[in-house]
Structure formats: C-alpha cells, structure tokens
Amino acid sequence: MAERTVFQSIPRKHVVSIGPQASVRDAACMMTRANCGSVLVMEPPDLLLGILTERDLMTRVLARGLDPERTLAREVMTPNPICVPPETLVSDAVVLMLERGFRHIPLVSGKKILGVFSVRDALPRELGTALSQTEFHEQVNDALG
C-alpha cells in the first residue's frame, strides 16, 4: 500500500487562521471551536506570518503568567514556520517534525496555504516508518561523530 501524502491525511481541507492583532484568548477559542491544535497567523489575503499552537499557549502565555486577553497572537506565535508541499510523504513530514521539535506544519503549494498537518494525522504505520528513519539518522550521525 502506498504511503499517504500530508494533504491526503489532513481531515480538514480549510485553513484556520487569525490576524496578528487577535488576542491569544481569541486564538484559543478559535482552536476550540475548530477542534484543532493550531491556528495560522495571517495578514489578509494570504500572507503567512506564523503559527500559534496549543504548546505555544501553554509555554509562552500561561507559564509566563501573561494575560490572554491582552497578549496578541503576533507576540507569542512561532514566526515564519517551516512549511511543506502537499505531496510530502507523511513519514517525511513526521521525521522533519521529530528532528525540529514541533507537532504542526503548514502545507503550502506555491503561495497558497492548503491547511496544517499535525503529527496526530499520521497513522501508526507511518509513525513507525518515521521513527525508524529518525533512528537511522541518529545512528549515522553517531558514526560520523
């Protein structure tokens, strides 16, 4: 069976986004309504500025005691996130996310944002493939010093 692409694996084919001046409370409410773990921070009509995730809300807002009503998305987002094209294999995206330490990655075709792939969108077999690739990379790096 051929491995899925990241675009094939995302359940929602629309972009959940907010403007950079939105409060993080608004971002959290939007994520809750959309039942997703991230929101893209964008300038209309389609300029991607950053991504704001559940982890960002926890580590950059709550843990620092910032007021979610007064803290703006642009102040705590991850700016200029790494993006992948929609034809990227799920295991390749998961390897990238494991190596870079994040769980959400925007899908971009040209300048068009197609959605966000989450590590939760991967199937167990795809996660296994990604973990095997990551372990192999670690072994090669160890051997090369």
Side-chain angles (χ1 to χ4, degrees):
M1 178 180 235
E3 184 177 347
R4 298 177 307 157
T5 66
V6 288
F7 187 72
Q8 290 169 328
S9 72
I10 60 174
R12 117 184 10 88
K13 304 287 195 237
H14 66 276
V15 177
V16 178
S17 67
I18 57 170
Q21 300 298 329
S23 73
V24 295
R25 183 179 189 289
D26 291 340
C29 289
M30 181 170 285
M31 284 188 253
T32 300
R33 281 192 304 274
N35 192 31
C36 62
S38 68
V39 62
L40 297 178
V41 181
M42 299 180 66
E43 284 281 6
D46 58 2
L47 178 62
L48 177 62
L49 301 175
I51 187 169
L52 188 61
T53 68
E54 297 163 318
R55 180 187 278 177
D56 294 332
L57 295 176
M58 181 181 64
T59 61
R60 297 177 183 170
V61 179
L62 294 175
R64 293 180 183 169
L66 299 179
D67 181 351
E69 294 281 350
R70 295 180 184 208
T71 304
L72 303 180
R74 69 175 162 77
E75 297 171 335
V76 292
M77 70 181 185
T78 299
N80 305 312
I82 294 171
C83 300
V84 296
E87 63 273 8
T88 302
L89 295 177
V90 168
S91 61
D92 291 338
V94 172
V95 166
L96 177 64
M97 295 188 323
L98 287 170
E99 291 176 346
R100 299 292 182 97
F102 51 83
R103 298 178 185 146
H104 299 87
I105 192 164
L107 309 182
V108 179
S109 179
K111 292 188 176 195
K112 183 171 173 68
I113 313 259
L114 302 175
V116 176
F117 174 77
S118 166
V119 73
R120 287 182 241 169
D121 297 328
L123 295 174
R125 66 181 163 79
E126 293 163 333
L127 288 174
T129 300
L131 289 172
S132 295
Q133 289 175 1
T134 302
E135 289 170 2
F136 174 74
H137 292 167
E138 288 173 2
Q139 290 172 354
V140 168
N141 287 338
D142 287 346
L144 296 175

